[in-house]
Amino acid sequence: MENIPLTVLVMSTIVIFNILYFLYRRIIDLDNKLSLIIQKIAMDEYLNDDE
Amino acid sequence: MNSAYEKYNIHILIPAFNEEHNIGTLLENLNDISIVNKIFVLDDGSVDETAKKSKKNGIKVVKHLINLGQWTALKTLIKISLLENSDYIITMDADGQHLVEHVKQFIDHIILDDVDVVIGSRFLSNDENTMPLYRTMGIRFFTYVINFITGYNLTDVTSGYRCYKSNVIKKILPHLKENQYGILESLLVCSKFNVKIKEIPISIVNSDRSTKGSVNFGIQLLRSIIKSK
């Protein structure tokens, strides 16, 4: 561990943090898209229901 | 219907999640309010008989396949209500906390006082406060924060019993991003559009039945404010 230069450690932490943040954003985006799809299904179902 | 209200299309929106024990009574009471044109219930992925109980009261239920959160449910209902040409939209909780007797007061105030949104405040009424202390303090804290940010002078920012002018909610709807904790975000968006808000006193029943007021609820509200700013 003590052989790893500090710069490498900091850089890899930043890279890992960025990857995790990217993945987090992707999950949020997908979640929002899923919400919109379910909302649309609900609205279509309601508006096309002649009952 | 009372002739003074005939020209207005008044809708009530109720997002519901596992509320089979409360939704029936609420809808029965609402069916007696003659000024309301339509009542919309959204079953937000309930695993109980919420939808069935609503249909029993003659309500056409909107259904989310899975639970998406109270504010996503409200957004779906608002979109449908706007498509059905509402003039005024009243939002209520499905847990039976909100008394239907206030519906007419909401409409009277939004029309006569020429405001865009009317919020029912639990702290303006003379009723004894039955909420747990930590919850009252939490609401007071968030009310202070929202008033500080927006410049409004409100007393109960977490009240879900509200009446909106449809043209106003149409304007703010695209800016509402929260799925579950949108109650404060909606006020922040309102302030950006200079929406005029008024509060009226309301009474509530069985406030201890609400699931709101937990530590997590508070944290999420705080997060929603930071995200919206």
Side-chain angles (χ1 to χ4, degrees):
Chain A
M1 191 71 182
E2 58 268 25
N3 294 332
I4 303 170
L6 186 66
T7 326
V8 176
L9 205 65
V10 171
M11 289 304 283
S12 19
T13 311
I14 291 170
V15 169
I16 290 167
F17 179 79
N18 269 294
I19 292 169
L20 288 176
Y21 184 70
F22 171 78
L23 289 173
Y24 167 76
R25 293 300 318 166
R26 288 294 299 158
I27 292 167
I28 297 288
D29 286 348
L30 286 173
D31 185 49
N32 287 338
K33 275 182 192 154
L34 179 68
S35 288
L36 284 175
I37 291 167
I38 292 170
Q39 277 185 288
K40 191 164 180 344
I41 292 170
M43 286 176 66
D44 287 346
E45 231 171 55
Y46 178 85
L47 295 169
N48 296 325
D49 186 9
D50 296 327
E51 217 182 273
Chain B
M1 185 187 285
N2 191 325
S3 59
Y5 302 96
E6 250 173 38
K7 56 183 173 179
Y8 302 115
N9 204 2
I10 299 164
H11 292 175
I12 291 193
L13 314 185
I14 308 169
F17 176 60
N18 292 342
E19 291 289 357
E20 64 176 1
H21 298 298
N22 305 313
I23 195 86
T25 318
L26 174 65
L27 294 174
E28 272 167 31
N29 294 336
L30 276 173
N31 280 331
D32 295 336
I33 308 289
S34 60
I35 64 166
V36 175
N37 297 82
K38 257 186 176 174
I39 301 164
F40 296 88
V41 172
L42 189 141
D43 177 11
D44 194 20
S46 299
V47 290
D48 64 1
E49 298 200 330
T50 300
K52 205 173 158 187
K53 292 258 169 85
S54 306
K55 281 178 188 166
K56 248 186 202 168
N57 283 280
I59 307 292
K60 209 167 133 185
V61 179
V62 189
K63 197 161 172 50
H64 277 170
L65 299 172
I66 55 171
N67 182 255
L68 293 179
Q70 190 183 18
W71 270 78
T72 303
L74 260 182
K75 282 184 266 183
T76 305
L77 287 176
I78 290 166
K79 284 175 193 170
I80 292 174
S81 175
L82 292 174
L83 282 173
E84 303 230 351
N85 302 315
S86 59
D87 294 308
Y88 297 104
I89 288 173
I90 294 177
T91 60
M92 289 179 90
D93 287 354
D95 58 8
Q97 244 198 74
H98 297 148
L99 297 172
V100 301
E101 288 81 359
H102 295 301
V103 166
K104 197 173 162 297
Q105 293 167 25
F106 274 103
I107 297 300
D108 285 343
H109 279 279
I110 205 161
I111 295 170
L112 298 174
D113 299 337
D114 193 29
V115 289
D116 303 311
V117 179
V118 176
I119 299 176
S121 170
R122 293 160 285 188
F123 299 109
L124 287 179
S125 73
N126 295 323
D127 300 350
E128 192 193 340
N129 185 358
T130 54
M131 274 186 276
L133 181 66
Y134 72 92
R135 199 169 156 215
T136 307
M137 284 173 69
I139 295 170
R140 297 275 191 211
F141 168 73
F142 284 113
T143 300
Y144 175 80
V145 173
I146 292 296
N147 284 341
F148 180 75
I149 297 171
T150 62
Y152 286 132
N153 188 20
L154 304 171
T155 60
D156 189 1
V157 292
T158 60
S159 171
Y161 203 178
R162 296 177 178 181
C163 180
Y164 300 87
K165 269 183 185 165
S166 291
N167 55 353
V168 169
I169 207 156
K170 194 175 182 180
K171 225 165 34 178
I172 67 167
L173 187 63
H175 304 273
L176 302 176
K177 307 290 179 205
E178 283 289 321
N179 293 330
Q180 177 71 37
Y181 305 95
I183 197 98
L184 301 184
E185 181 198 35
S186 60
L187 293 174
L188 293 171
V189 176
C190 279
S191 79
K192 284 176 190 163
F193 286 90
N194 295 319
V195 171
K196 285 187 273 179
I197 301 179
K198 182 187 179 171
E199 282 185 316
I200 60 167
I202 56 160
S203 303
I204 52 166
V205 280
N206 293 336
S207 60
D208 55 329
R209 208 165 48 190
S210 175
T211 53
K212 292 170 187 168
S214 64
V215 175
N216 181 50
F217 188 74
I219 292 169
Q220 293 299 336
L221 286 183
L222 207 54
R223 181 195 52 75
S224 76
I225 295 174
I226 294 164
K227 204 173 146 194
S228 303
K229 276 309 290 167

Coordinates of all heavy atoms in Angstrom, one line a residue, chain B residues 19 21-22 25 93-99 122 127-132 135 203-212:
Chain B
E19 N -54.8 2.0 0.7 CA -55.8 2.7 1.6 C -57.2 2.1 1.6 O -58.1 2.8 1.6 CB -55.8 4.2 1.1 CG -54.6 5.0 1.3 CD -54.3 5.3 2.7 OE1 -55.1 5.0 3.6 OE2 -53.2 5.9 3.0
H21 N -58.8 0.7 3.8 CA -59.6 1.0 5.0 C -60.2 2.4 5.1 O -61.1 2.7 5.8 CB -58.8 0.7 6.3 CG -58.3 -0.7 6.4 ND1 -59.2 -1.7 6.5 CD2 -57.1 -1.2 6.3 CE1 -58.5 -2.9 6.5 NE2 -57.2 -2.6 6.4
N22 N -59.6 3.3 4.3 CA -60.0 4.7 4.4 C -60.7 5.3 3.2 O -61.5 6.2 3.2 CB -58.8 5.6 4.7 CG -58.0 5.1 5.9 OD1 -58.6 4.9 7.0 ND2 -56.7 5.0 5.8
T25 N -64.8 5.4 2.8 CA -65.5 6.5 3.6 C -65.3 7.8 2.9 O -66.2 8.7 2.8 CB -65.0 6.5 5.0 OG1 -64.9 5.2 5.5 CG2 -65.9 7.3 5.9
D93 N -55.3 13.9 0.5 CA -54.7 12.6 0.9 C -55.8 11.5 1.0 O -57.0 11.8 1.3 CB -54.1 12.7 2.3 CG -52.8 13.5 2.2 OD1 -52.4 13.9 1.1 OD2 -52.2 13.8 3.3
A94 N -55.5 10.3 0.7 CA -56.4 9.2 0.7 C -56.6 8.6 2.1 O -57.5 7.7 2.3 CB -56.0 8.1 -0.3
D95 N -55.9 9.0 3.1 CA -55.9 8.4 4.4 C -57.1 8.9 5.3 O -57.2 8.5 6.4 CB -54.6 8.5 5.2 CG -54.2 10.0 5.3 OD1 -55.0 10.9 5.0 OD2 -53.1 10.2 5.8
G96 N -57.9 9.7 4.7 CA -59.1 10.2 5.5 C -58.8 11.3 6.4 O -59.7 11.8 7.2
Q97 N -57.6 11.9 6.4 CA -57.2 13.0 7.3 C -58.0 14.2 6.9 O -58.3 15.0 7.8 CB -55.7 13.2 7.1 CG -54.9 13.0 8.3 CD -53.5 13.7 8.1 OE1 -53.4 14.9 8.2 NE2 -52.5 12.9 7.9
H98 N -58.2 14.4 5.6 CA -58.8 15.7 5.2 C -60.3 15.6 5.2 O -60.8 14.7 4.6 CB -58.2 16.0 3.8 CG -56.7 16.2 3.8 ND1 -55.9 15.9 2.7 CD2 -55.9 16.7 4.7 CE1 -54.7 16.2 3.0 NE2 -54.6 16.7 4.2
L99 N -60.9 16.6 5.7 CA -62.4 16.7 5.8 C -62.9 17.3 4.5 O -62.5 18.3 4.1 CB -62.8 17.5 7.0 CG -62.4 17.0 8.4 CD1 -62.7 18.0 9.5 CD2 -63.1 15.7 8.7
R122 N -53.2 23.4 8.9 CA -53.6 22.8 10.2 C -53.3 23.7 11.4 O -53.8 23.5 12.4 CB -52.9 21.5 10.3 CG -53.3 20.4 9.3 CD -52.3 19.3 9.2 NE -51.1 19.8 8.4 CZ -50.2 18.9 8.0 NH1 -50.3 17.7 8.3 NH2 -49.1 19.4 7.3
D127 N -58.5 24.3 16.4 CA -58.5 23.0 17.0 C -57.2 22.7 17.8 O -56.1 23.3 17.5 CB -58.6 21.9 15.8 CG -59.8 22.1 15.0 OD1 -60.7 22.9 15.5 OD2 -59.9 21.4 14.0
E128 N -57.4 21.8 18.7 CA -56.2 21.4 19.5 C -55.2 20.6 18.6 O -55.7 19.8 17.8 CB -56.6 20.5 20.6 CG -55.6 20.3 21.7 CD -55.9 19.2 22.6 OE1 -57.2 18.9 22.7 OE2 -55.0 18.6 23.2
N129 N -54.0 20.9 18.6 CA -53.0 20.2 17.8 C -52.7 18.8 18.3 O -52.2 18.6 19.4 CB -51.7 21.0 17.8 CG -50.6 20.4 16.8 OD1 -50.9 19.4 16.2 ND2 -49.5 21.0 16.7
T130 N -53.2 17.8 17.5 CA -53.0 16.4 18.0 C -51.8 15.7 17.4 O -51.6 14.5 17.7 CB -54.3 15.6 17.6 OG1 -54.5 15.7 16.2 CG2 -55.5 16.1 18.4
M131 N -51.0 16.5 16.7 CA -49.8 15.9 16.0 C -48.7 15.7 17.1 O -48.6 16.5 18.0 CB -49.3 16.8 14.9 CG -49.9 16.6 13.6 SD -49.1 17.6 12.4 CE -49.9 19.1 12.6
P132 N -47.9 14.6 16.9 CA -46.8 14.5 17.8 C -45.9 15.7 17.8 O -45.8 16.3 16.7 CB -46.0 13.3 17.3 CG -47.0 12.6 16.4 CD -48.0 13.6 15.9
R135 N -43.2 16.0 15.0 CA -43.8 16.3 13.7 C -44.1 17.8 13.6 O -43.9 18.4 12.5 CB -45.0 15.4 13.5 CG -45.4 15.3 12.1 CD -46.4 14.2 11.8 NE -47.1 14.5 10.6 CZ -48.4 14.2 10.4 NH1 -49.1 13.7 11.3 NH2 -48.9 14.5 9.2
S203 N -59.4 21.6 9.5 CA -59.4 20.7 10.6 C -59.0 19.3 10.0 O -59.3 19.1 8.9 CB -60.7 20.5 11.3 OG -61.1 21.8 11.8
I204 N -58.3 18.5 10.8 CA -58.0 17.2 10.3 C -58.4 16.2 11.3 O -58.7 16.5 12.5 CB -56.5 17.0 10.0 CG1 -55.6 17.4 11.2 CG2 -56.0 17.8 8.8 CD1 -54.2 17.0 11.1
V205 N -58.5 14.9 10.8 CA -58.9 13.9 11.8 C -57.7 12.8 11.9 O -57.1 12.5 10.9 CB -60.2 13.1 11.4 CG1 -61.4 13.9 11.8 CG2 -60.2 12.8 9.9
N206 N -57.5 12.3 13.0 CA -56.6 11.2 13.3 C -55.2 11.5 12.6 O -54.8 10.7 11.8 CB -57.1 9.9 12.7 CG -58.3 9.4 13.5 OD1 -58.5 9.8 14.7 ND2 -59.1 8.6 12.9
S207 N -54.6 12.6 13.0 CA -53.3 12.9 12.3 C -52.2 11.9 12.6 O -51.2 11.8 11.9 CB -52.9 14.3 12.8 OG -52.7 14.3 14.2
D208 N -52.4 11.1 13.7 CA -51.4 10.1 14.1 C -51.4 8.9 13.1 O -50.4 8.1 13.2 CB -51.6 9.6 15.5 CG -53.0 9.1 15.7 OD1 -53.9 9.6 15.0 OD2 -53.1 8.1 16.5
R209 N -52.4 8.9 12.3 CA -52.4 7.8 11.3 C -51.5 8.0 10.1 O -51.2 7.1 9.4 CB -53.9 7.6 10.8 CG -54.3 6.3 10.4 CD -55.8 6.1 10.3 NE -56.4 7.2 9.5 CZ -57.7 7.4 9.4 NH1 -58.5 6.6 10.1 NH2 -58.2 8.3 8.7
S210 N -51.1 9.2 10.0 CA -50.3 9.5 8.8 C -48.9 8.9 9.0 O -48.3 8.8 10.0 CB -50.1 11.0 8.7 OG -49.2 11.3 7.7
T211 N -48.3 8.4 7.8 CA -47.0 7.8 7.8 C -45.9 8.9 7.7 O -44.8 8.6 7.8 CB -46.8 6.8 6.7 OG1 -47.2 7.5 5.5 CG2 -47.7 5.6 6.9
K212 N -46.4 10.1 7.4 CA -45.4 11.2 7.3 C -44.9 11.6 8.7 O -45.6 11.4 9.7 CB -46.1 12.4 6.6 CG -46.5 12.1 5.2 CD -47.3 13.2 4.6 CE -47.8 12.9 3.3 NZ -48.9 13.8 2.8

